[in-house]
């Protein structure tokens, strides 16, 4: 289930893709015209559906990325 308040879902029309760029900011796959694309309001970038979904799973209700609990960098 998409945590959709963190993303603006848009249709990637030719016009829009022309303006925002044709590639997902995360996986760099090329958007297909007509595809649903997702604007990440936290990072000001466009993502494909699968990246938006993966990212939304890691987000809390304030759209902040929550890293796995228990893991420590140190
Ligand atoms: Zn992607």
């Amino acid at each position: 289930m998409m945590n959709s308040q963190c993303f603006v879902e848009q249709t990637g029309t030719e016009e829009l893709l022309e303006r925002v760029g044709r590639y997902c900011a995360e996986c760099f796959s090329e958007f297909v015209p007509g595809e649903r694309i997702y604007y990440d309001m936290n990072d000001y970038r466009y993502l494909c559906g699968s990246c938006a979904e993966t990212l939304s799973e890691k987000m809390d209700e304030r759209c902040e990325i929550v890293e796995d609990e228990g893991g420590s960098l140190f």
Side-chain angles (χ1 to χ4, degrees):
M1 200 57 201
M2 180 79 81
N3 192 2
S4 56
Q5 79 268 21
C6 306
F7 298 95
V8 181
E9 188 179 335
Q10 290 179 288
T11 302
T13 57
E14 279 287 354
E15 244 181 309
L16 182 65
L17 296 181
E18 201 72 41
R19 200 148 43 87
V20 303
R22 301 189 160 266
Y23 300 93
C24 169
E26 190 75 17
C27 70
F28 305 108
S29 68
E30 191 170 3
F31 296 133
V32 181
E35 183 182 342
R36 309 300 283 168
I37 61 174
Y38 296 86
Y39 182 63
D40 178 350
M41 291 187 277
N42 240 23
D43 283 326
Y44 313 107
R45 57 186 188 164
Y46 280 89
L47 300 173
C48 69
S50 65
C51 288
E53 198 167 330
T54 307
L55 215 62
S56 75
E57 280 167 13
K58 294 189 216 161
M59 284 175 169
D60 64 14
E61 60 286 349
R62 287 173 305 172
C63 303
E64 283 165 1
I65 304 284
V66 183
E67 298 300 337
D68 290 341
E69 309 239 346
S72 173
L73 292 172
F74 305 104

